[in-house]
Amino acid sequence: MASISCSSSSLGEVVNSPSSVLSFQHLSFSVKTKSGSKYLIEDVSVNIRAGELLALMGPSGAGKSTLLDVMAFRKTMMEGGSIYLNGQPLGPKAMHKISTFVEQEDALLGVLTVRESVTYALRLHLPLLPRKQVNERVNRVLGALGLNSCADQRIGTPISRGISGGQKRRVTAACAMVTFPRVLFLDEVTSGLDSTSAREVMASISTLSKAEGMIVIASIHQPSLETLAQFTNVMFLASGKTCYLGRVDELDSFFEKFGHPVGRFSSPSDHAMNFLNSDFAGSSKSVDQFREFYLSLPSSSIPDPEKVASGSGQPIEDDSKLHGKAGPLETLFWNTAVLSERTALNYLRNLLAYGVRVGMYGGMGLMLATIWIRLGDSDSVVNDRLSVHFYSVAFLGFMSVAGIPSFLEERAVYYRESKNGLYSTLPFLLSNTLVNIPFLFASTVIFTVICYWAIGLHPGAAPFFRFVIYLFLAIFAAESQALVVASLIPIFVAALAISSFVNGFWMSVGGYFIKARSLPRFWFFSFHYMDYQKYAFELMTNSDLRGLTFTCDTIVDGVCACSYPSSTPSTCTVSGQDILNYLDIGHITDRKWIGILVSIVILYRIALFLALKTKSG
């Protein structure tokens, strides 16, 4: 097994031994049905050498994508199946480290350019690779896949058109190939491409795989003759069974022996589909005949999997030395740094991430400033001040749902990249947290600057900054909560509905609409004390009212009447502390409440980690 060199002399190219062989033996996969078990893949064996390309073909439902998933350890094969590399057993961890999987769906950050997308993929995989070699490698892959013309064009978002669908397919392939994979799995990589683009993409992949010793296994649908010619070998599947396995250039002679030569205006793959498609009446018989004839032929020129896998050795589980990667802690640091850089760039460019939210927060601040304008120091407006604090906490937290669309895009990219071994869940979570903090804090400051002084809340710099910090902690908790929901339910409408319901629930048990002491005991001793809105509201109310004195209204005969019980009735005033005591929140300790808020945020972030980790497992 040869190593991957990243030295300056090789410009970071893969140098694999031409004799390396990846062997799949007796792969099977089944699912349970009402009538029992159904095989989606049944006893498939194949060998592929370094530099070769294997095409997996067959009609819809033949098991092509399932076979790719089993080969890549994305699905667990049935007992009796095994995978070997140069005669040594290959385990899931090692396969994930030496392979890259290109799925049918394109998961890319729309605001990044083509070059940036590919560059970040390489930097995440090899964080210590010098920038010069990164640029050289990226330029080579972009040129090979015909992406130079759109290299500096953005991928595209729902509100800003970018590159075409076919170009996105090639960008996804480029993000996979730039990371020096030994094994490249391609699931319908030519989907959405015209015949010329499909041929050029496969030709480029073929050239790179031969030059760098990659093993390429690709499912493909209806390739042209020129596209099919880029592959070394082809496997035809039907109902999960191997119906043909051999070299592409031997297809014509196979059909001649079968007694059904390929027509003049037909390609061998299209000709095979005429026999393998069993969806129509009377066609199942032709499938059986096709397979029986193939099995009756002498062994093909492809090496026998049993012989190749006859070597002994321990399962290959740790291939990190072959990549020249950094140690675990160093990798965690650099992956977090690169992901933070990419996430910050995404948020700065993506209006759906924070542009819309800054506009909403600014608009809500302006609304509060013009409606609750100059409340003054009369005790009759104390309830209005309380409404300001509740509105700020509850409704700004409610607006955290605006971050769900952007997170769902990040989540899709995370799953693609983490499954390909570029990074783990922890650096993604850390980078998301680190980058969210300054953006959320800036949004909070914008809202507060607009409305705080116009409303006439507690004067002074210290109360102002306390207001900002307490409100930020509440919004950060709401943001974390929304991300947990979106990670578990990656459907925007459903995540929006559930997040809105949860925020409405916290509003109900927080102690504003109904005093906490009046809540039913179950709600009071359970969810009331879990409510992040409660702690932020009480902190902001204490910060605003402490140290202030409000003038009470007087009745005509001179008798003083205060809206709240007063400790100084002789002066016809009520202190902020009197009001806080009446509300049963005058005893709180700022540090303790802040600690609880921070703990809620941490718990939400741990829940987010577990949700992402579980879904990606």
Side-chain angles (χ1 to χ4, degrees):
M1 210 182 324
S3 64
I4 295 177
S5 172
C6 296
S7 63
S8 58
S9 60
S10 64
L11 302 180
E13 297 177 10
V14 180
V15 184
N16 279 341
S17 170
S19 61
S20 294
V21 179
L22 184 62
S23 176
F24 300 92
Q25 280 195 85
H26 308 298
L27 302 185
S28 297
F29 183 81
S30 65
V31 293
K32 292 182 179 180
T33 63
K34 292 182 179 180
S35 58
S37 296
K38 178 183 178 182
Y39 278 95
L40 301 183
I41 296 296
E42 185 174 354
D43 196 23
V44 174
S45 299
V46 62
N47 291 323
I48 311 103
R49 295 186 181 278
E52 292 184 343
L53 287 81
L54 172 66
L56 302 180
M57 299 189 63
S60 298
K64 303 184 294 296
S65 295
T66 302
L67 179 57
L68 273 182
D69 286 337
V70 172
M71 288 177 162
F73 285 102
R74 292 191 165 203
K75 283 182 169 49
T76 303
M77 70 183 76
M78 296 179 65
E79 188 175 351
S82 54
I83 302 176
Y84 294 86
L85 180 60
N86 295 339
Q88 297 188 35
L90 192 66
K93 291 183 180 179
M95 177 62 84
H96 292 160
K97 289 179 180 179
I98 67 173
S99 67
T100 300
F101 197 106
V102 178
E103 298 172 322
Q104 292 186 27
E105 296 81 16
D106 299 312
L108 301 164
L109 294 177
V111 296
L112 298 185
T113 66
V114 171
R115 187 184 305 279
E116 288 169 343
S117 300
V118 179
T119 300
Y120 279 121
L122 180 54
R123 289 178 61 194
L124 287 167
H125 186 67
L126 293 174
L128 300 183
L129 194 64
R131 184 57 66 93
K132 180 181 179 182
Q133 295 181 30
V134 169
N135 294 336
E136 290 172 346
R137 174 67 179 178
V138 169
N139 289 335
R140 177 179 180 181
V141 173
L142 291 178
L145 293 177
L147 292 170
N148 279 331
S149 61
C150 62
D152 298 314
Q153 189 174 348
R154 294 186 182 181
I155 303 297
T157 66
I159 59 177
S160 178
R161 181 175 174 80
I163 60 178
S164 67
Q167 289 171 326
K168 286 182 181 179
R169 282 269 71 198
R170 283 183 275 168
V171 174
T172 303
C175 290
M177 299 189 70
V178 78
T179 59
F180 304 93
R182 288 185 172 198
V183 184
L184 183 63
F185 296 101
L186 306 171
D187 195 3
E188 301 285 359
V189 71
T190 59
S191 295
L193 301 179
D194 58 76
S195 58
T196 301
S197 297
R199 180 197 68 212
E200 292 301 325
V201 168
M202 290 312 308
S204 302
I205 293 174
S206 176
T207 301
L208 281 175
S209 67
K210 292 173 182 177
E212 302 184 347
M214 276 190 286
I215 293 171
V216 179
I217 306 172
S219 64
I220 192 167
H221 184 66
Q222 287 187 322
S224 65
L225 185 60
E226 292 176 316
T227 301
L228 182 63
Q230 305 302 324
F231 290 90
T232 313
N233 305 310
V234 61
M235 174 188 287
F236 288 114
L237 295 170
S239 301
K241 298 178 181 179
T242 304
C243 293
Y244 175 85
L245 174 59
R247 299 186 64 83
V248 171
D249 53 18
E250 294 175 352
L251 276 173
D252 285 328
S253 62
F254 169 80
F255 282 111
E256 288 180 2
K257 294 175 184 177
F258 185 39
H260 298 278
V262 180
R264 181 179 177 185
F265 299 105
S266 178
S267 69
S269 59
D270 290 339
H271 191 58
M273 292 301 107
N274 295 331
F275 298 95
L276 299 178
N277 195 320
S278 60
D279 291 340
F280 302 95
S283 58
S284 59
K285 184 177 180 181
S286 64
V287 175
D288 295 336
Q289 292 174 346
F290 189 100
R291 188 166 188 271
E292 288 173 4
F293 177 74
Y294 163 72
L295 294 176
S296 68
L297 294 176
S299 300
S300 68
S301 58
I302 296 181
D304 183 1
E306 300 288 349
K307 295 180 180 179
V308 174
S310 61
S312 61
Q314 297 296 321
I316 301 171
E317 292 291 354
D318 187 3
D319 197 49
S320 60
K321 294 180 180 179
L322 302 178
H323 290 72
K325 288 186 176 180
L329 291 178
E330 198 171 11
T331 298
L332 173 62
F333 172 80
W334 284 111
N335 281 345
T336 302
V338 175
L339 283 171
S340 298
E341 177 187 324
R342 187 176 71 176
T343 304
L345 186 61
N346 179 33
Y347 288 171
L348 286 170
R349 294 179 180 176
N350 192 354
L351 287 176
L352 295 178
Y354 276 95
V356 172
R357 201 173 331 183
V358 167
M360 288 193 306
Y361 285 5
M364 293 172 70
L366 183 62
M367 183 176 66
L368 262 69
T370 53
I371 294 177
W372 278 269
I373 188 168
R374 298 177 183 175
L375 291 181
D377 59 359
S378 171
D379 72 333
S380 61
V381 299
V382 169
N383 286 337
D384 296 333
R385 299 175 79 99
L386 298 179
S387 297
V388 169
H389 304 320
F390 173 79
Y391 188 97
S392 300
V393 171
F395 285 91
L396 265 68
F398 190 95
M399 289 298 104
S400 62
V401 298
I404 291 177
S406 175
F407 177 75
L408 290 179
E409 183 184 48
E410 292 179 67
R411 177 186 180 276
V413 175
Y414 155 74
Y415 282 129
R416 174 178 64 81
E417 294 178 335
S418 62
K419 286 182 178 180
N420 284 327
L422 297 191
Y423 52 85
S424 61
T425 307
L426 184 56
F428 175 78
L429 177 70
L430 291 175
S431 64
N432 178 273
T433 303
L434 292 173
V435 178
N436 264 288
I437 287 174
F439 279 91
L440 283 176
F441 189 78
S443 300
T444 306
V445 170
I446 290 172
F447 167 83
T448 308
V449 166
I450 293 174
C451 69
Y452 190 90
W453 305 109
I455 294 172
L457 298 178
H458 198 132
F464 171 84
F465 285 111
R466 284 198 298 266
F467 184 97
V468 170
I469 293 172
Y470 300 156
L471 181 57
F472 162 73
L473 288 175
I475 295 175
F476 195 22
E479 176 84 5
S480 303
Q481 173 186 274
L483 298 190
V484 172
V485 173
S487 65
L488 294 172
I489 308 172
I491 304 170
F492 172 63
V493 175
L496 174 64
I498 293 176
S499 295
S500 301
F501 169 79
V502 174
N503 281 321
F505 173 75
W506 294 133
M507 292 181 196
S508 302
V509 299
Y512 175 78
F513 291 119
I514 178 173
K515 288 183 179 179
R517 61 173 175 262
S518 300
L519 282 169
R521 296 299 87 184
F522 170 75
W523 299 110
F524 179 77
F525 289 110
S526 57
F527 293 99
H528 173 70
Y529 285 101
M530 303 178 192
D531 189 354
Y532 71 89
Q533 294 184 13
K534 156 193 160 58
Y535 297 103
F537 171 74
E538 293 179 2
L539 281 168
M540 293 166 65
T541 302
N542 270 266
S543 176
D544 181 38
L545 297 184
R546 282 177 183 169
L548 293 183
T549 301
F550 297 90
T551 303
C552 301
D553 293 333
T554 56
I555 300 178
V556 177
D557 60 4
V559 178
C560 183
C562 297
S563 301
Y564 292 88
S566 174
S567 61
T568 55
S570 59
T571 60
C572 202
T573 59
V574 59
S575 68
Q577 189 62 47
D578 292 335
I579 299 170
L580 294 172
N581 292 338
Y582 175 79
L583 296 174
D584 291 334
I585 60 175
H587 63 283
I588 72 169
T589 305
D590 288 7
R591 290 184 179 180
K592 183 178 180 180
W593 258 230
I594 291 173
I596 293 174
L597 268 177
V598 172
S599 298
I600 291 174
V601 171
I602 293 174
L603 288 174
Y604 273 132
R605 289 285 156 171
I606 293 174
L608 177 59
F609 173 85
L610 295 175
L612 291 169
K613 188 73 174 176
T614 301
K615 290 288 185 176
S616 63

